[in-house]
Amino acid sequence: MTAAENVCYTLINVSSDSEPPSEVSLKADLEKGEIKAKTEALKKVIIMILNGEKLPGLLMTIIRFVLPLQDHTIKKLLLVFWEIVPKTTTDGKLLQEMILVCDAYRKDLQHPNEFIRGSTLRFLCKLKESELLEPLMPAIRACLEHRHSYVRRNAVLAIYTIYRNFEHLIPDAPELIHDFLDRALDYLSTCIDQVHTFGDILQLVIVELIYKVCHANPSERARFIRCIYNLLQSSSPAVKYEAAGTLVTLSSAPTAVKAAAQCYIDLIIKESDNNVKLIVLDRLIELKDHPTHERVLQDLVMDILRVLSTPDLEVRKKTLHLALDLVSSRNKEVIKTNNVTEHEDTDKYRQLLVRTLHSCSVRFPDMAANVIPVLMEFLSDTNEAAAADVLEFVREAIQRFDNLRPLIIEKMLEVFHAIKTVKIYRGALWILGEYCSTKDDIQSVMTEVRRSLGEIPIVENEIKKETGEMKPEDEVSAAPAQKLVTEMGTYVTQSALSSSRPSKKEEDSPLLQRPC
């Protein structure tokens, strides 16, 4: 393998203006220096090798004077050094000095400190020389029995990596790891009722283990599904999320789907991060898209609508779309009882609610009679977009549902005088003029129009101006000019126009008399 083909695992930044030390000074520090001096010298050697320097004369020096040291910082640096140093001759044969290195790492694999054992096992995952790994296999196997989980975990990773790269070194690796996992499953079976007391990291590992085991061996589902149910009550949101996702993959029973969906809903309500809310909502939507799960979610529409208490508009929008897809003839009453006026916090949200109720009323005509009186109140809203959506709904409903025309006309006449925008007023007037057919309704419409016109004659202000009844302060006036002296000693004249605020009578004037 050429130098250009070597795999690079480590990148270390070094300032380009620093002058590299000589090999002689590095050798002196490594041989006779204190621990701190040897540490700095070893760092410089690593940086020089990464930059392309060979430094073959330092290899034996490091083996003799640095490798036997028990300092943890030195041992960390040596892991990096042995990872990057050339281990073979130009013809591809292993250097004789590496036999000594191999013996040192065999001792580290038997070290009483679990950190040294674990970090050494991680280092062995990066070795590509089977001659170095072969003498270490018995020590690696023995680490599977270590009391500390950090060592056992890294031993499993090391065995997996070695088996993948050099299968002949450990041909029984699958059976070895299988027996190791069986012991883990047996242990889990003995403490399955205590998993809720474990830490969240261990709980996540248990969820992942159960997921993989049950998919590889479906007969194990009945053994561990109760554990997943218990983890739905975990204090960790991450564990609850993973447990709910695992539960629906292990079982399609309605009770399992309902428990997972309820867990998702609780996460959405309790989590403050809107991104988390949107991610969990996507999981609910995926459940809804499953044919056998949709009916279960239809019974949870009321719980899903609790998410509308969230202030974020995007979350509310996705929640309303999900609820609308789940509405059926069995649960349409839930939508009707969800009062619109409880959530009037933003104009866009009110507009979104109006459109949702519009869609529900079109799909289920018998609920339109309950929705129309609530929506009619929005015709007098200052938000013209929401009022326009209500007007569109009313126009469609009065055309589609003949039996609701008297109710719609009655409610529209009640709010007609409170309409605040000309566009909505014009649309409402067209609907009344198109669909009022009885004498009483026509008379009521004319009364409301007359009420909107206000006092006649309309030119009341103009007449008062002609007769001199208009007060001077109600008109635009010019303030008297003032003469000011600047810093240079010159005179300047300052004047300003002022106007009085509109009178309360003008603000309260009928709609058709207000300026457009």
Side-chain angles (χ1 to χ4, degrees), residues 120-153:
T120 304
L121 287 165
R122 292 178 62 184
F123 160 72
L124 296 180
C125 294
K126 303 176 182 179
L127 286 184
K128 300 300 181 183
E129 292 78 20
S130 60
E131 298 92 336
L132 283 175
L133 292 170
E134 187 172 5
L136 302 176
M137 294 311 302
I140 295 174
R141 286 172 177 267
C143 287
L144 285 175
E145 307 295 333
H146 194 270
R147 59 179 179 81
H148 203 285
S149 60
Y150 177 71
V151 178
R152 296 195 301 270
R153 181 168 66 247

Side-chain angles (χ1 to χ4, degrees), residues 19 60 67 132 274 278 305 335 346 400 407 457:
E19 186 176 347
M60 199 60 201
L67 189 58
L132 283 175
N274 291 327
L278 292 173
L305 289 176
I335 298 296
T346 63
R400 186 188 293 263
L407 174 65

Side-chain angles (χ1 to χ4, degrees), residues 324-465:
L324 184 59
D325 291 338
L326 293 173
V327 170
S328 65
S329 57
R330 296 187 300 117
N331 59 11
K332 61 188 178 184
E333 294 295 329
V334 173
I335 298 296
K336 289 193 288 186
T337 57
N338 187 47
N339 196 343
V340 179
T341 58
E342 293 179 0
H343 304 288
E344 292 182 351
D345 53 352
T346 63
D347 292 342
K348 291 182 179 180
Y349 179 49
R350 276 179 280 178
Q351 188 178 357
L352 187 61
L353 283 174
V354 169
R355 292 178 179 177
T356 303
L357 291 173
H358 180 180
S359 301
C360 288
S361 300
V362 172
R363 288 174 56 186
F364 306 102
D366 54 335
M367 70 174 289
N370 299 78
V371 172
I372 287 173
V374 178
L375 291 183
M376 282 292 192
E377 298 177 3
F378 284 93
L379 289 175
S380 59
D381 201 285
T382 54
N383 178 18
E384 186 173 311
D389 286 334
V390 174
L391 196 65
E392 180 182 352
F393 165 61
V394 170
R395 185 164 59 244
E396 181 178 352
I398 202 170
Q399 173 64 29
R400 186 188 293 263
F401 311 124
D402 294 341
N403 59 317
L404 296 179
R405 285 183 182 179
L407 174 65
I408 295 175
I409 291 174
E410 177 188 353
K411 295 300 180 182
M412 182 164 286
L413 287 172
E414 289 179 3
V415 301
F416 189 76
H417 69 281
I419 296 176
K420 296 181 175 61
T421 59
V422 175
K423 180 180 178 181
I424 305 303
Y425 186 94
R426 184 168 62 243
L429 186 61
W430 181 90
I431 292 174
L432 291 173
E434 184 72 18
Y435 293 100
C436 287
S437 56
T438 66
K439 180 179 178 180
D440 292 339
D441 288 342
I442 295 173
Q443 185 63 41
S444 298
V445 172
M446 295 304 298
T447 301
E448 290 298 331
V449 173
R450 174 67 178 78
R451 183 179 177 182
S452 300
L453 287 172
E455 296 294 332
I456 294 179
I458 299 176
V459 291
E460 179 183 359
N461 288 341
E462 284 77 4
I463 295 176
K464 286 185 179 181
K465 286 181 182 180

Side-chain angles (χ1 to χ4, degrees), residues 97-319:
E97 294 87 346
M98 299 308 295
I99 298 176
L100 300 173
V101 177
C102 183
D103 183 66
Y105 280 110
R106 183 182 57 80
K107 294 179 181 178
D108 283 345
L109 288 174
Q110 299 170 347
H111 199 282
N113 186 295
E114 61 270 7
F115 171 76
I116 293 177
R117 282 202 188 197
S119 57
T120 304
L121 287 165
R122 292 178 62 184
F123 160 72
L124 296 180
C125 294
K126 303 176 182 179
L127 286 184
K128 300 300 181 183
E129 292 78 20
S130 60
E131 298 92 336
L132 283 175
L133 292 170
E134 187 172 5
L136 302 176
M137 294 311 302
I140 295 174
R141 286 172 177 267
C143 287
L144 285 175
E145 307 295 333
H146 194 270
R147 59 179 179 81
H148 203 285
S149 60
Y150 177 71
V151 178
R152 296 195 301 270
R153 181 168 66 247
N154 284 289
V156 171
L157 292 176
I159 290 174
Y160 166 72
T161 307
I162 294 170
Y163 178 77
R164 186 181 60 183
N165 296 330
F166 312 104
E167 184 177 346
H168 64 281
L169 292 180
I170 185 167
D172 61 335
E175 293 80 10
L176 190 65
I177 300 302
H178 186 270
D179 294 340
F180 180 76
L181 293 179
D182 279 343
R183 294 205 306 270
L185 292 176
D186 292 338
Y187 170 75
L188 180 59
S189 299
T190 62
C191 60
I192 198 167
D193 293 326
Q194 287 84 37
V195 291
H196 64 279
T197 63
F198 296 167
D200 54 350
I201 295 178
L202 182 56
Q203 288 179 345
L204 285 171
V205 172
I206 291 173
V207 172
E208 184 180 3
L209 176 63
I210 293 176
Y211 175 84
K212 292 180 178 179
V213 169
C214 292
H215 277 76
N217 188 5
S219 62
E220 296 283 355
R221 293 183 181 181
R223 182 182 176 189
F224 294 110
I225 196 168
R226 183 162 58 91
C227 179
I228 297 297
Y229 271 106
N230 293 337
L231 290 175
L232 291 178
Q233 309 302 323
S234 172
S235 59
S236 170
V239 175
K240 295 173 68 174
Y241 175 80
E242 294 296 337
T246 301
L247 182 60
V248 295
T249 62
L250 298 182
S251 174
S252 58
T255 53
V257 176
K258 185 175 182 179
Q262 191 66 59
C263 180
Y264 282 146
I265 295 170
D266 292 341
L267 282 174
I268 298 171
I269 295 172
K270 294 178 181 179
E271 280 299 306
S272 58
D273 191 335
N274 291 327
N275 292 322
V276 174
K277 293 177 184 288
L278 292 173
I279 291 172
V280 181
L281 272 172
D282 288 336
R283 301 289 82 78
L284 280 175
I285 294 172
E286 289 178 3
L287 284 180
K288 182 264 302 179
D289 292 338
H290 197 285
T292 60
H293 298 165
E294 183 176 6
R295 187 173 180 85
V296 178
L297 289 179
Q298 288 175 351
D299 297 332
L300 297 174
V301 171
M302 192 64 184
D303 293 324
I304 293 174
L305 289 176
R306 290 165 54 201
V307 181
L308 294 178
S309 59
T310 302
D312 185 71
L313 182 63
E314 189 64 30
V315 174
R316 288 173 161 179
K317 184 178 180 180
K318 186 169 287 191
T319 302

